[in-house]
Amino acid sequence: MSDVVAGGAKSMEELVSLCKRRGFIFPASEIYGGLNGFWDYGPLGAQLKKNLADRWWRDMTLTPPVRDGKPVSIVGVDSSIIQNPRVWEASGHVGGFSDPMVDCKESKQRYRADKIFLVGFFSLDQAKELYASLEDAVALLEKAPDASLEERAEIQRLFQTWRAEYSQRAANLGLPAIIVSEQGDSAEEAVAAAQRRLSKRQLKHLGVNFTPPGWAHPLVSAPEKWPRLSPATQTESLTAPRDFNLMFQTYVGATASEDDKAYLRPETAQGIFLNFANIVDTTRVRVPFGIAQIGKAFRNEVTPRNFIFRSREFEQMEMEFFCHKDEARGWLDFWVEERRRWWMGVGLSEANMIVRKHDDDELAHYAKAGAGTYDIEYRWPFTHPGFGELEGVAHRGNFDLSQHEQHSGKKIAYFDQERNERYLPDVIEPAAGLTRGVLALLCEAFTPDESRASKVVMKFHPSMAPIKAAVYPLVNKDGMPEVGEKLVGDLRRRFGHLGLIEYDAKQSIGKRYARMDEAGCPVCFTIDGQTLEDQTVTCRDRDTLAQERISLDRVVDWLGEKIGG
Ligand code: GAP
């Protein structure tokens, strides 16, 4: 895989442009000017997404992981996107799934209130003292890719201490946020100085966010103290913050009255809880076991951004693992490590991932009662050198099942024959974004290379590559196309369920190779004059650019060894 850590961040702008140019991802309804937060997947993007989803489904339900020598028991479901609206009252989403939002009355811009800065100043001495310890933390964070588990824990501890200290100092000053000024300089200079030193992610660890430049705030809230100064107009024109529910609403049936209101699911998880009793009753699964689901989720995000990282329509791969509460801690640790390794198996480098435990005040409403939530974070180009969430692994306690039992009035409790005990199992939930995972694969694969005609090569793990191989007759005549078409047929029969086999007999061979470098195709087979004489083809390796000749009748097995399957 590409070495992302050395050097600076990759360019998101170039990645987005490649995705469009090569047909990975397009803005949705582009010819009408697009729609913020919505994306369409082109031929290569759709196949890449399918490869990732298929691998997850396989590794969860068909060949699940093994613990203590035994395969873990997991079954799959595919539930409805629209459910009875009472589901979302029970799950807490109607009441609690919201972001604080403010509007600028003049510019009509809308902001997440927790993204608006209030700037406070420390004296130079205080600032020096703060920065001195901060540097220790930053030095450690820079080491994070190679850090041992103990060192990672230390990094986390340092940041937690920092966060608490910042919040306390802010509270003492009566401010909902602070920015450290090094020389008592202007707010802009203070922000710029802090930004030079710290990535957004590091600042977030400290409880400070940066959006847009020049404005900041911590996660501590004191609504009456929220700033009114609008970043758009620089006048006091912001409304007070109010909660904005992220669920999309629709109406079921013809009358469109309040009684017919329904919601598009904001997570796939609830469809699993709703079917817990059905699955226990109709299959042979016994606690501990998991239910897995892949599907669309919808959130009316206030600020969709960073390409497909935070969109309003996206896909999730969620698994709810039901276990006895005494075993929940062990399963939580098991799944955190299992999921981290899984992402490495699809090509993310270890150095670009970090496991972070949530602070208590970050926990979602359902995770409060549990033993904690961990995020598996990736080093995105827009968080570099810091990290941002790729997947959450939460201990949800028995919050959801007990809520559904109460709200529906139906008995859901499970009878454990071995323990001779009836209970609502605890839940460990590895919840990954499928579309966010696609973005991670794209970011990891993106490798600028000035020496190539394409200037960039997408180094996908061969098992994820949307195009598995390309077959290229050197010229579109002299019997070469016939050999090529036969080879394509053979390869599609064997590998067609894993990805695309490209065939193209036109254009210069250099241009065709460049196209495949940008598409991330691991190997190109070229048929030339020599093929007709000795039945051999050239195999061009995407990563090493090495070219070797092998005989035509070995091509299928050769590719099988390279890409698996
Ligand atoms: N059932 C738990 C749950 O939904 P979450 O952390 O809100 O937890 C799980 O979502 C994963 O879904 C995230 O780690 C992220 O990968 C993905 N995700 C969440 N919101 C998203 C959005 N607006 N756009 C793309 N992916 C998103």
Side-chain angles (χ1 to χ4, degrees):
M1 289 301 99
S2 55
D3 180 3
V4 192
V5 181
K10 297 178 180 184
S11 156
M12 274 308 281
E13 211 181 326
E14 285 172 25
L15 176 63
V16 172
S17 138
L18 180 140
C19 282
K20 175 134 196 258
R21 193 164 69 241
R22 279 294 151 251
F24 283 96
I25 297 167
F26 308 115
S29 18
E30 196 180 6
I31 56 171
Y32 291 97
L35 186 60
N36 197 7
F38 296 89
W39 300 91
D40 291 342
Y41 288 72
L44 297 190
Q47 186 64 46
L48 179 63
K49 179 152 67 71
K50 184 172 184 310
N51 289 353
L52 189 61
D54 286 354
R55 175 71 165 266
W56 186 90
W57 187 258
R58 188 191 86 187
D59 290 348
M60 283 292 175
T61 66
L62 305 177
T63 53
V66 172
R67 188 178 180 202
D68 298 333
K70 287 197 200 127
V72 175
S73 163
I74 305 176
V75 294
V77 290
D78 187 358
S79 71
S80 189
I81 285 175
I82 296 180
Q83 302 278 359
N84 188 310
R86 289 175 57 210
V87 168
W88 308 108
E89 286 163 23
S91 69
H93 285 88
V94 169
F97 194 56
S98 53
D99 279 338
M101 192 191 67
V102 291
D103 288 306
C104 170
K105 284 178 272 186
E106 281 182 30
S107 70
K108 307 293 173 215
Q109 291 271 9
R110 175 165 286 181
Y111 301 95
R112 285 240 318 248
D114 60 351
K115 300 280 177 195
I116 307 286
F117 252 34
L118 183 64
V119 180
F121 291 91
F122 280 119
S123 72
L124 184 56
D125 283 349
Q126 282 172 320
K128 275 185 183 152
E129 179 201 320
L130 284 166
Y131 272 140
S133 341
L134 197 53
E135 247 139 36
D136 295 342
V138 173
L140 266 177
L141 192 80
E142 272 157 9
K143 248 191 95 189
D146 316 311
S148 64
L149 276 180
E150 288 81 342
E151 282 171 324
R152 283 183 202 190
E154 175 61 12
I155 292 168
Q156 211 160 60
R157 195 193 59 72
L158 255 170
F159 277 119
Q160 272 158 7
T161 314
W162 262 97
R163 190 174 164 158
E165 199 173 327
Y166 259 70
S167 304
Q168 189 52 52
R169 283 174 192 237
N172 291 347
L173 288 167
L175 296 171
I178 53 161
I179 276 289
V180 178
S181 162
E182 264 180 308
Q183 277 126 32
D185 40 20
S186 71
E188 286 70 27
E189 280 162 337
V191 171
Q195 276 178 324
R196 272 198 303 278
R197 283 168 177 273
L198 300 167
S199 72
K200 280 187 190 165
R201 185 75 218 170
Q202 289 163 340
L203 285 162
K204 200 169 170 214
H205 277 287
L206 298 171
V208 181
N209 277 345
F210 269 91
T211 331
W215 293 86
H217 100 99
L219 303 177
V220 285
S221 52
E224 67 292 350
K225 293 196 184 116
W226 284 109
R228 295 282 183 271
L229 203 58
S230 162
T233 59
Q234 298 295 316
T235 56
E236 301 235 327
S237 53
L238 290 182
T239 60
R242 61 197 162 89
D243 279 341
F244 172 71
N245 195 293
L246 299 185
M247 279 195 296
F248 277 102
Q249 293 178 12
T250 186
Y251 295 94
V252 174
T255 52
S257 71
E258 271 302 287
D259 290 346
D260 300 323
K261 197 157 84 181
Y263 302 97
L264 303 192
R265 67 182 176 201
E267 60 172 13
T268 56
Q270 295 306 322
I272 295 179
F273 297 122
L274 295 174
N275 284 293
F276 171 77
N278 279 342
I279 286 171
V280 169
D281 290 348
T282 57
T283 71
R284 301 279 292 154
V285 291
R286 292 291 166 259
V287 168
F289 73 93
I291 306 179
Q293 166 155 243
I294 299 177
K296 293 244 174 180
F298 302 82
R299 297 184 190 175
N300 199 359
E301 299 281 1
V302 180
T303 49
R305 63 187 163 143
N306 291 327
F307 197 26
I308 56 171
F309 178 81
R310 181 179 299 133
S311 44
R312 289 176 163 145
E313 175 175 341
F314 55 101
E315 282 176 75
Q316 293 184 310
M317 311 185 285
E318 297 199 288
M319 197 270 290
E320 310 300 322
F321 194 78
F322 302 92
C323 59
H324 190 274
K325 65 177 175 1
D326 294 348
E327 295 177 352
R329 176 80 239 179
W331 281 111
L332 179 64
D333 292 344
F334 172 81
W335 281 113
V336 169
E337 184 51 17
E338 194 58 40
R339 296 301 305 147
R340 191 183 72 87
R341 281 180 187 283
W342 186 85
W343 284 110
M344 279 157 57
V346 296
L348 302 191
S349 65
E350 188 167 12
N352 282 336
M353 277 190 292
I354 191 170
V355 173
R356 187 177 73 86
K357 190 172 191 297
H358 273 211
D359 299 339
D360 286 348
D361 60 354
E362 275 183 275
L363 294 178
H365 60 271
Y366 52 74
K368 292 268 192 300
T373 293
Y374 290 82
D375 277 349
I376 298 172
E377 298 191 333
Y378 182 70
R379 192 194 303 271
W380 309 97
F382 43 84
T383 58
H384 187 99
F387 300 81
E389 178 177 347
L390 170 62
E391 167 163 359
V393 186
H395 180 193
R396 293 178 79 123
N398 64 12
F399 175 84
D400 304 271
L401 291 181
S402 72
Q403 286 291 103
H404 287 309
E405 200 169 65
Q406 273 172 32
H407 281 71
S408 70
K410 298 273 172 349
K411 285 269 160 273
I412 302 181
Y414 170 83
F415 183 70
D416 189 328
Q417 286 176 339
E418 255 175 64
R419 291 174 190 263
N420 199 20
E421 184 186 342
R422 187 174 293 281
Y423 58 86
L424 286 176
D426 269 21
V427 170
I428 305 299
E429 176 196 63
L434 168 58
T435 42
R436 197 173 284 186
V438 167
L439 181 60
L441 297 187
L442 287 166
C443 292
E444 182 85 29
F446 185 87
T447 313
D449 181 349
E450 280 302 314
S451 70
R452 298 188 188 221
S454 57
K455 306 292 180 213
V456 61
V457 51
M458 295 297 282
K459 293 190 174 179
F460 294 117
H461 189 282
S463 67
M464 291 293 110
I467 304 180
K468 298 298 180 202
V471 174
Y472 288 154
L474 191 60
V475 290
N476 196 16
K477 56 183 183 183
D478 301 338
M480 292 182 209
E482 289 75 6
V483 178
E485 280 159 18
K486 160 134 193 350
L487 181 58
V488 166
D490 292 346
L491 292 173
R492 284 186 181 159
R493 263 188 300 285
R494 168 79 185 272
F495 302 106
H497 62 296
L498 300 176
L500 305 161
I501 304 291
E502 170 91 353
Y503 178 75
D504 190 355
K506 300 196 179 122
Q507 263 194 339
S508 79
I509 193 72
K511 282 199 177 136
R512 282 182 273 170
Y513 285 157
R515 250 186 110 80
M516 286 304 100
D517 280 351
E518 282 193 314
C521 170
V523 62
C524 299
F525 299 110
T526 308
I527 292 138
D528 54 19
Q530 196 179 326
T531 311
L532 306 173
E533 287 164 20
D534 66 4
Q535 301 293 302
T536 62
V537 293
T538 307
C539 319
R540 174 194 183 263
D541 184 283
R542 175 196 68 194
D543 297 344
T544 63
L545 295 179
Q547 304 215 5
E548 67 175 292
R549 285 201 87 88
I550 63 169
S551 71
L552 255 179
D553 56 14
R554 275 193 56 224
V555 169
V556 172
D557 289 343
W558 189 93
L559 186 62
E561 276 164 34
K562 191 161 186 78
I563 65 171

